[in-house]
Structure formats: C-alpha cells, structure tokens
Amino acid sequence: MAQLLSNTCSIQSVVPESYILPPERRPGQHVVLPCNTIPVIDLDGNRNELIQEIIKASQEYGFFQLRNHGVSEELMKDVLVVAKEFFDLPVEEKQRFCSEDPLEQACSLKTSIDFANEKVHFWRDTLRHNCHPLEEHIQQWPENPARYREVFGLYSVEVRNLGLRILDLICEGLGLEAGYFKGGLSQGHMMSLNHYPPCPDPTLVLGLPKHGDPFTLTLLNQGDVPGLQVLKDEQWVAVDPLPNAFVVNINHMLQIISNGKLKSAYHRVVASNVDRMTVVSFIRPSMDVLIEPSKSLVSESNPPLYKCFTFGDFRRTYRTDTHEGKDPLEHLMIRS
Ligand code: OGA
Ligand code: NI
C-alpha cells in the first residue's frame, strides 16, 4: 500500500518529487480573492427569507457558510479531535483500512486521490465510510480511538438531518413538489475525514485539485485552518473558516436536477504549514436512481440542458473526467 502522508511527513523537510506539481498547476499561479463575498446564512432566520438566501447563494456561488444550524459547537469540535486521533494512530492500526480497491471496501483509508494511477500526488490522506443507515455501517467504522463510533454516530445523524432540512428548503425555493429530494436522491450519506499534514512548501502542491462534488449536497466542517478555495467567475476565492459554521455546497446532481439554475462550483484545497483536519458529509443518491432536470423546471422556452441517466452511469466517468481536467457534465449536456 502507498505510504500515508500522516506517517511520513513528520520526518520530511522537503516536498517529495512525486507531489510537486508542474509550475502551471501550482496554487500560486492565480490571485486568490479574500473570503468576504461568500454568503453567510443563519439557519434560524425567517423561513421565506432563508429560502431566498439559500437559492441566491446557490445560484451565484454554489457555496455558502451556514451558522446557527443546531449542531453543537462541542460536537463540531469533537469530531475533528477524534478524526485527528485516528490519523495519529500507529500505521499498523490504520493499515487494515487500506485497500488496493477502495471502492470495494466499506471503510477505506487512502492517500492522495488515485495514488496508483495519478501522475502527481495530492497532499492529503482520507478515511471514507458510509453513515446511513447507521446500524448498517457503524460496525465497519474504526473501533479505535475509543470514542470514534459514539462521536461520529451522533454527528452523522445530526448532519444528515441538517442536510435533509437544507434540501427541503432548496426544494421549496425551486418550486419542486414537496419531498422531491426524499428517497433515492438523498438515500446515502458518506463521510470523508480529510487530513492535510503540515507541508514544508505549500506553494508546490495541492491538498485537492480543482473538482466539483459529484453527489447531491456537501456539508463541510473545516475547523479553524484555512485551505478551501472556490472558483467564482474564473477567480479563486478563499473560503475562510467561520467559527462553528458549516460550508455547504451544491453538488453536480443538484445542478442537473435544477436544470443549471443552481451551480455546482469547482473548488480545491491548498496545503499549509500547519496541520489541517476536515470532516466532510456528502448526501448522495443511490446508484440506480434516475437523474434528470426536474420536469417542473423545463418547458418549451426553457428546454432541458441535460440528458437522463442513472447516478451509477455518472460515477463511472466522473473520476477520470475530473482528473483529466474535463467537465464531467459535458457529455450529459443536450446540444441544441
Ligand atoms: C472534498 C473537499 C474540502 C476540504 O472532500 O470533496 O472538497 O476542505 N474537501 O477538505
Ligand atoms: Ni469537494
């Protein structure tokens, strides 16, 4: 198995060759704008105003920060602490989660993105597992650290409910029939624990390259270390941490269902010289669910922009397209 960064980087004082991006792909190639334009939304506001704010942010940025969301500050912090405790375990303890074929394993630990096939590696280790329904998945989660299952069990249920609540507001804001996102479109909940170790020279690497999230909705708990950037009008904008907030972003499937009204924005992660831990929740469709622009959003004057396909079909091409720098939605577009 590929060496995890968490086990090697503490002894590194230079960036290994295999992580160094060609000059044109390095993060410093472009100006990064400050965070002050990314919308910040309070979930405990007036419902109608809240819906308008969420739709506007999702149209303009595809990203917003969410405050007063009901998940306690203690739990937000706890998952990051326990996640870091997991990555601090001895390598032998973590090894059993490493698999040659991470898609086959229910709880998988890997480094970079596609270590065996990518030309340059990314400055990240990640532990990934499903969370819903909890009783079907929790047995596959780490037993060590001792609090892992308890803390992540609690957190995953709360974050899933929060995600479904946001989808309900989006459903109403788009004028879709009530419950549109219930069922297949939000059937799964997958979590990624991303560890970005301190990097000796952050200008040479990326934690994650430019990508859009393939599922329905993402809720990111990014602690207090910056690193996330979102592409808006061809410019990178920093999404700086806001205490106790979730960063929420529209995924590719939601862009298609909304017939392009909501935006699944490209984003990336830059490394830094301090340790960064994030916990990401993806609300995701089941593989066999049909994805297409909602019938109620298309008409003769507003024809569908995308074809109908199953989520499983999309998953087969998404990764390669994204890695090759292609728009993964390109071949799903209907040409007029
Ligand atoms: C992701 C992602 C951002 C972060 O996992 O898809 O974009 O800051 N993560 O870890
Ligand atoms: Ni992402």
Side-chain angles (χ1 to χ4, degrees), residues 249-269:
N249 66 281
I250 302 299
N251 284 195
H252 286 324
M253 295 307 102
L254 199 41
Q255 173 169 325
I256 290 174
I257 291 160
S258 70
N259 203 30
K261 182 167 178 179
L262 307 186
K263 204 165 81 180
S264 170
Y266 286 119
H267 51 285
R268 67 179 187 179
V269 177

Side-chain angles (χ1 to χ4, degrees), residues 1 4 6-7 86-98 109 125:
M1 161 236 45
L4 293 171
S6 351
N7 296 103
F86 173 82
F87 283 97
D88 285 342
L89 291 173
V91 69
E92 309 77 60
E93 176 80 37
K94 291 183 280 187
Q95 195 86 34
R96 63 191 198 88
F97 298 105
C98 297
L109 174 62
D125 290 335

Side-chain angles (χ1 to χ4, degrees), residues 284-296:
R284 54 171 299 170
S286 56
M287 287 297 190
D288 57 355
V289 74
L290 283 177
I291 310 280
E292 63 181 338
S294 165
K295 295 270 192 301
S296 60

Side-chain angles (χ1 to χ4, degrees), residues 37-302:
T37 55
I38 305 280
V40 177
I41 299 178
D42 275 297
L43 192 62
D44 61 1
N46 166 287
R47 185 176 166 94
N48 285 336
E49 283 169 21
L50 185 57
I51 290 173
Q52 296 319 314
E53 283 180 73
I54 290 178
I55 296 293
K56 185 162 187 275
S58 305
Q59 275 180 297
E60 290 179 5
Y61 284 86
F63 266 77
F64 54 91
Q65 304 227 48
L66 191 67
R67 285 196 303 208
N68 295 318
H69 43 64
V71 181
S72 76
E73 191 172 340
E74 193 191 348
L75 192 53
M76 296 284 284
K77 293 215 164 81
D78 247 12
V79 280
L80 294 170
V81 168
V82 174
K84 183 60 175 44
E85 283 169 9
F86 173 82
F87 283 97
D88 285 342
L89 291 173
V91 69
E92 309 77 60
E93 176 80 37
K94 291 183 280 187
Q95 195 86 34
R96 63 191 198 88
F97 298 105
C98 297
S99 145
E100 287 305 310
D101 186 359
L103 285 180
E104 292 300 312
Q105 207 178 358
C107 180
S108 77
L109 174 62
K110 62 176 187 160
T111 191
S112 198
I113 293 176
D114 185 6
F115 197 89
N117 299 312
E118 65 203 6
K119 286 200 196 89
V120 182
H121 306 312
F122 298 96
W123 201 263
R124 174 192 79 153
D125 290 335
T126 188
L127 180 73
R128 217 169 226 222
H129 57 61
N130 287 318
C131 304
H132 181 78
L134 187 58
E135 57 286 0
E136 267 178 36
H137 299 289
I138 197 165
Q139 294 309 324
Q140 276 109 45
W141 296 3
E143 283 179 284
N144 220 348
R147 290 197 307 147
Y148 193 97
R149 292 183 180 180
E150 180 202 333
V151 171
F152 275 90
L154 259 174
Y155 180 81
S156 67
V157 170
E158 288 203 22
V159 175
R160 178 171 169 81
N161 287 338
L162 175 60
L164 296 182
R165 204 173 142 199
I166 298 167
L167 284 173
D168 256 354
L169 296 168
I170 290 176
C171 177
E172 194 174 329
L174 289 173
L176 304 178
E177 69 194 78
Y180 192 91
F181 294 109
K182 296 217 166 74
L185 293 171
S186 60
Q187 199 172 64
H189 176 185
M190 191 175 71
M191 224 181 252
S192 278
L193 282 60
N194 291 325
H195 181 221
Y196 307 95
C199 179
D201 187 349
T203 65
L204 303 177
V205 307
L206 279 171
L208 278 180
K210 174 179 158 183
H211 71 280
D213 296 340
F215 310 109
T216 307
L217 193 75
T218 304
L219 296 95
L220 164 75
N221 175 357
Q222 67 165 338
D224 52 14
V225 182
L228 177 64
Q229 299 178 349
V230 50
L231 199 61
K232 157 85 171 142
D233 303 329
E234 303 302 311
Q235 288 210 290
W236 289 106
V237 185
V239 188
D240 290 338
L242 203 63
N244 204 27
F246 278 102
V247 177
V248 179
N249 66 281
I250 302 299
N251 284 195
H252 286 324
M253 295 307 102
L254 199 41
Q255 173 169 325
I256 290 174
I257 291 160
S258 70
N259 203 30
K261 182 167 178 179
L262 307 186
K263 204 165 81 180
S264 170
Y266 286 119
H267 51 285
R268 67 179 187 179
V269 177
V270 295
S272 74
N273 48 18
V274 294
D275 203 87
R276 181 168 187 263
M277 192 69 241
T278 68
V279 173
V280 195
S281 285
F282 301 102
I283 306 293
R284 54 171 299 170
S286 56
M287 287 297 190
D288 57 355
V289 74
L290 283 177
I291 310 280
E292 63 181 338
S294 165
K295 295 270 192 301
S296 60
L297 295 179
V298 302
S299 62
E300 229 167 278
S301 59
N302 187 22

